[in-house]
Each structure stands twice: as C-alpha cells, then as structure tokens.
Amino acid sequence: MRALLVEGGGVRAAFAAGVLDALLEEEEAFDVVAGTSAGALLAAAYLAGQGGRSLRVLRHPDCRAAFGRISDFLRGGDLVDLELLHEAADRLEPLDVAAVLAHRARFLLTVTDVETGTGHLIEPQEDELVAALKATSALPIAVRSPLKVAGMTCLDGGIAIPIPVQEVIDMGATEVVVVRTRPAAYRNSGRSGRLAAPWFERKQPALAKALRLRGDVYNSMGGLLEDPPPGVTVQQIRPHRPPACRRTGGSDVDIVRDHLMGMDAGHEWRSRRRLSASGVASDPFEGAKPKE
C-alpha cells in the first residue's frame, strides 16, 4: 500500500504545490493521498489532475486578499477569510470534485475536533468535500468559528495531526511519500500553540490542551518519519532552504520562487527514483529507510 501525504502551512505550501505539479507530469500510482490544512487543498487539486491550479490560486489577487485581514480581525471577523478564498478560487478555476472522487486513490484529510481536542483522518464524500477542505485549514484564532464536518465541530487538522503518518501506517501503508513544507532541520518550538491555548481555555479546554501539546506532537511525528516501524519505507521531499513565504502571506515573487523550488525537488525525487529502479547506484530516499 502506497501513500502520498502533503503537509500544510498556508501560503508556505507553495513549495508543496510545486512538488505536486512536478509529480503530475508523469503518473504515480498511490493508493491513498492525504493532506493536512493547505496540504489537503493541494492534494485535492493533484487528484483532480489540475496542474498549476494551486499556484494560480495562490498568486491571484482575490485569493491573496483572503489572508492577513487585520482590519476585519480587529472588528471581530476572521484573519483568514476561508469563504472569500474558496469563492475566489472557484471563480478562477473550480476544483473538479468529480475527478477527485473518481480517482483510484482514496482522498483523506485531517481535522481536529474542538470538543475533544483529538485529530481525525476522514474521507469526505461529495456533499461535504468543500466543507471538509475549509475545516482542515481553519486556523485557530485566525478563523473564529469552527466548521461542522462528519458530525464534529472542527478546526485546522494540523493542531492534532500535523501529517497523518501514523494513521496511514495503521491503515496498512508500507511505502509513504511525504511532501514537507519545512526543511530537514526544523523543529516546532510549540510557542504558537501555547500562545493560542488561553483563547480556548474556558469554552474548549480539550482544544487548549491540544494546542499546548502541538509542538511535541509535531516533533514526535518528525521522529516517526526518520525512524519508521519495521517494513515501512518513508521518503521525504523537502525544501533545501526555508520557504520565502509565511503561513499567512508572501509576495508574488516569493510564491513563484517557492513553487519553482518545489518543482525542482519533485523532479529530483523522480530522477532518483528512476535511477534506483534501473539499478544505477543512487539513493532515491530522503528520509528513512525500512529497518531490516
């Protein structure tokens, strides 16, 4: 069983968009494709076969206007307007939902239940796909109102499941390809989660606890990528430098540069894989290899 996982990161995911566009150039057979937060939106476009859509969305002025809405936030609105983002993206180039659901690979995404603070890997059906894509990327505080999905009230999947590595291994995945948006040396300090936690302490204490643990959960996930269980191979496609874009924004030049860096990384991964398959001495794996 082969799984492709895509890390989130808001606008920083322009790198991951480049990787997926490179992978679309030649067919790759995956049984499961899963994403967290912005990574889920990119994964959906990948399954739809809409190469370049994610870059066009990230660069479009109407879509970029959905991020960093400080004045709206100070008046009680959202810092990231998910409705505006999805409406603008749909006007620009509608996501081919039918193609996503018809793909041979299962499409999964993560959400965090605000009542329990637990993460869930769900397989959205047609009638809830758009809502699920909004929920997985609903950053705490930046989006004030959680969204209803699969009978749960949800926020950003990355709170509790930064990348669903353990979840797909539990499903039976033996080869896991992970598109990261952070360089190899990155470790989560947990500071942003600890700062956000007090906002939810009174009404959603379980969510506040999950936010305080966010850094530890992320770093534990990173350890699993580097040291997977016996019989499981993990390959990581990562940026060689920190992306120029931030979670909530970046200039047009930054977005294009990060996307090109992603395309280069995707092409390099594919080239190493091709050489390995032909028997040429080349290591296609950036990350962990299976234990003997």
Side-chain angles (χ1 to χ4, degrees):
M1 179 178 170
R2 194 162 182 244
L4 173 67
L5 309 182
V6 188
E7 184 173 19
V11 183
R12 190 175 62 243
F15 169 82
V19 173
L20 295 181
D21 282 343
L23 296 189
L24 270 176
E25 293 175 0
E26 296 179 34
E27 185 175 358
E28 284 283 343
F30 293 103
D31 301 291
V32 170
V33 174
T36 291
S37 196
L41 279 71
L42 306 185
Y46 169 82
L47 289 175
Q50 293 176 274
R53 178 184 186 269
S54 298
L55 176 62
R56 290 188 287 274
V57 167
L58 287 170
R59 295 185 67 188
H60 196 277
D62 290 348
C63 298
R64 292 174 61 187
F67 294 90
R69 299 175 67 85
I70 299 294
S71 59
D72 285 358
F73 184 73
L74 293 176
R75 291 196 297 267
D78 291 338
L79 184 63
V80 178
D81 190 332
L82 293 177
E83 292 296 330
L84 174 61
L85 174 61
H86 283 264
E87 288 174 5
D90 195 55
R91 289 196 304 271
L92 175 66
E93 183 176 344
L95 176 67
D96 191 341
V97 172
V100 175
L101 298 176
H103 199 281
R104 66 176 298 274
R106 296 174 64 188
F107 175 51
L108 308 173
L109 55 79
T110 67
V111 293
T112 301
D113 184 341
V114 301
E115 300 302 326
T116 65
T118 55
H120 298 269
L121 183 63
I122 65 172
E123 184 171 8
Q125 301 306 305
E126 183 175 4
D127 61 344
E128 64 179 2
L129 179 60
V130 173
L133 288 172
K134 292 177 182 178
T136 188
S137 53
L139 295 171
I141 300 177
V143 175
R144 293 182 185 270
S145 300
L147 291 93
K148 288 280 189 181
V149 178
M152 299 177 289
T153 305
C154 303
L155 282 174
D156 180 32
I159 298 171
I161 306 179
I163 305 174
V165 187
Q166 186 63 61
E167 287 73 14
V168 297
I169 291 174
D170 291 342
M171 291 171 58
T174 54
E175 182 181 349
V176 184
V177 180
V178 186
V179 181
R180 304 288 299 276
T181 57
R182 296 287 197 181
Y186 175 77
R187 297 295 182 272
N188 192 315
S189 68
R191 182 172 181 271
S192 62
R194 291 193 299 272
L195 289 174
W199 287 62
F200 304 95
E201 193 68 68
R202 186 169 63 86
K203 293 185 178 180
Q204 286 117 9
L207 179 63
K209 181 179 179 180
L211 285 164
R212 289 193 177 91
L213 294 173
R214 189 174 186 179
D216 292 338
V217 169
Y218 186 96
N219 296 333
S220 177
M221 177 275 303
L224 178 61
L225 290 176
E226 298 296 334
D227 187 23
V232 176
T233 296
V234 173
Q235 303 167 53
Q236 299 185 66
I237 307 176
R238 300 182 286 207
H240 61 79
R241 59 164 173 78
C245 295
R246 306 173 308 281
R247 180 181 292 276
T248 57
S251 70
D252 189 66
V253 171
D254 290 339
I255 292 170
V256 172
R257 286 179 60 193
D258 286 350
H259 183 267
L260 288 173
M261 179 169 63
M263 289 202 71
D264 287 345
H267 288 144
E268 181 182 1
W269 176 82
R270 193 186 291 282
S271 295
R272 290 181 177 180
R273 183 175 176 80
R274 189 180 296 117
L275 287 172
S276 178
S278 66
V280 177
S282 176
D283 183 0
F285 303 109
E286 182 188 350
K289 301 178 183 179
K291 298 177 183 177
E292 299 295 335

